[in-house]
Amino acid sequence: MTNVISLSVPQRRQPFIQNAKALVSVFADHRRHHEDVFWLKENAELLNILECTGTPIPEDALATHQSFYQQLPAKMAFFAQDYRFYLSIFLVLEDLGLKGDVGGQVCDCVAAQGLAEAELSDLQRREVSRLLARRGTKVSIDHGLDDRLRQFINRSATFALPNKKVAYELTHIVFYLSEYGRRDPKLDCGAVQSLNFVGIIAYLDQNADLLAEICIALRFAGQTPSPIWEDWIVKTLSDFQVIEQPASNTSDGYHEYLVSAWMALTAKRDGMGQALLGERLVFMRGDVAAGPLRNISNLLLDMDAERSPDWEVMHPIVEQAIDEEGYEILLQAQNSTDDFAALF
């Protein structure tokens, strides 16, 4: 018999929670070096998601961070420019159950050095005050900080244009005000509309990373995100391919993967994903359809004075300018929220 038939065996799928132990190992030991600031960023993000979702982590999985935890105070003192990453990892490891009890002392040192007051950004000052408050440490930040942040997110016109920087600032302000879903952030209707505006734009751009954060922020604010958005994020998670890649390039879709899983957990929809097998893994999303946002933007630019702010007037013109796939995405975006016409 000379003919051999090769069968393609489907990769095993499992809930994100069952991948948690493997994720801790992959990000701690196999993607980047500990002195790489991107190692700090990736691990701070992963550990924070695991902690705020209550995902159980076996003790032996956390043990991989024990040596790093013991070195943290010295590293944080030397690499002071990255102290927020170090502080976040320090506190979350303790809260996840890693043996150690010096987080309070580290918080007191940060407060004594006035590091929060040295931050230029209100957003970063709010992040630091949130972290220190986890160990009961207070900082002398002016009382108008939260008022300014709320004023910023309440101005929904700011978020009616594609601007990823302010969009992610919006989601993180809600994360901090809500203590990552632990308390009601008491958002005004303007802030909720801001979230919906960014959600529409993210969906039109097919930006699952940003849209996942918007859905999480809405749930932290006591709102129910559009099922259209959440269904698409869960599908995005299932579309990820996680492969072992010995090469050094780790410019991948890890963040989109993590926040998509985070959204699924927050919505109590522990999305199925590929089982993580191997060590040096990269996270690659399959073919991504181009959303119609750019085409719509170019159309409006070319129309110049002929543009109208009335969606009822403009939608036949816009629909003629995009392809069939873009039209379906646009239609879903309109059906996802009552704020579409207001955004336009």
Side-chain angles (χ1 to χ4, degrees), residues 51-338:
E51 192 274 333
C52 76
T53 55
T55 301
I57 308 298
E59 188 174 333
D60 61 327
L62 288 177
T64 190
H65 279 292
Q66 188 68 56
S67 175
F68 179 76
Y69 173 84
Q70 292 169 346
Q71 300 169 20
L72 261 170
K75 286 180 177 290
M76 188 168 151
F78 188 83
F79 298 104
Q81 67 272 28
D82 299 321
Y83 80 96
R84 285 182 289 117
F85 284 138
Y86 283 109
L87 183 60
S88 175
I89 293 172
F90 208 115
L91 299 179
V92 169
L93 283 174
E94 289 185 351
D95 292 343
L96 284 170
L98 189 71
K99 293 180 180 179
D101 188 25
V102 294
Q105 297 174 31
V106 173
C107 287
D108 290 342
C109 288
V110 169
Q113 294 177 52
L115 296 182
E117 293 90 327
E119 298 285 1
L120 179 63
S121 161
D122 277 344
L123 181 62
Q124 291 173 347
R125 281 193 291 272
R126 189 64 178 80
E127 178 189 8
V128 179
S129 65
R130 180 195 75 84
L131 288 169
L132 298 185
R134 295 181 68 164
R135 295 298 182 270
T137 303
K138 295 183 179 180
V139 292
S140 57
I141 295 176
D142 63 282
H143 296 296
L145 175 60
D146 281 4
D147 291 339
R148 292 194 300 275
L149 293 175
R150 291 182 185 279
Q151 183 180 25
F152 173 72
I153 63 177
N154 284 342
R155 187 182 184 275
S156 54
T158 301
F159 305 96
L161 293 171
N163 185 330
K164 290 180 182 177
K165 180 178 184 296
V166 298
Y168 282 107
E169 287 174 346
L170 168 66
T171 58
H172 282 72
I173 288 170
V174 178
F175 295 163
Y176 300 158
L177 292 176
S178 69
E179 183 51 41
Y180 282 87
R182 293 176 176 87
R183 67 184 184 192
D184 182 359
K186 295 182 169 54
L187 298 190
D188 295 331
C189 58
V192 174
Q193 186 176 64
S194 297
L195 290 167
N196 282 327
F197 278 3
V198 174
I200 295 168
I201 292 171
Y203 190 78
L204 287 173
D205 198 30
Q206 294 291 274
N207 184 340
D209 188 291
L210 177 56
L211 186 59
E213 288 203 8
I214 288 293
C215 291
I216 294 163
L218 282 167
R219 286 198 173 272
F220 286 175
Q223 304 292 313
T224 302
S226 165
I228 292 172
W229 296 351
E230 291 193 330
D231 288 348
W232 182 62
I233 298 301
V234 171
K235 181 181 182 302
T236 294
L237 180 61
S238 69
D239 287 344
F240 263 92
Q241 296 296 311
V242 186
I243 59 176
E244 191 160 24
Q245 189 177 88
S248 59
N249 179 25
T250 48
S251 297
D252 60 357
Y254 87 91
H255 190 270
E256 186 176 18
Y257 173 87
L258 290 181
V259 294
S260 295
W262 183 14
M263 190 232 76
L265 288 171
T266 304
K268 303 190 186 311
R269 299 177 57 174
D270 190 5
M272 299 293 287
Q274 180 183 324
L276 302 188
L277 305 174
E279 294 182 338
R280 199 178 187 291
L281 302 181
V282 292
F283 301 80
M284 310 298 293
R285 187 174 160 199
D287 293 336
V288 182
L293 180 65
R294 182 178 294 275
N295 287 341
I296 293 171
S297 180
N298 287 335
L299 169 67
L300 296 176
L301 174 65
D302 293 340
M303 289 184 69
D304 198 13
E306 297 180 1
R307 292 191 297 266
S308 168
D310 188 340
W311 177 240
E312 290 303 314
V313 172
M314 291 294 297
H315 81 81
I317 301 171
V318 172
E319 290 168 0
Q320 290 296 318
I322 56 180
D323 59 22
E324 184 176 349
E325 192 170 39
Y327 172 76
E328 290 300 321
I329 294 171
L330 174 62
L331 189 63
Q332 291 292 315
Q334 292 178 74
N335 292 335
S336 66
T337 169
D338 294 334

Side-chain angles (χ1 to χ4, degrees), residues 6-11:
S6 177
L7 298 177
S8 178
V9 180
Q11 293 174 306

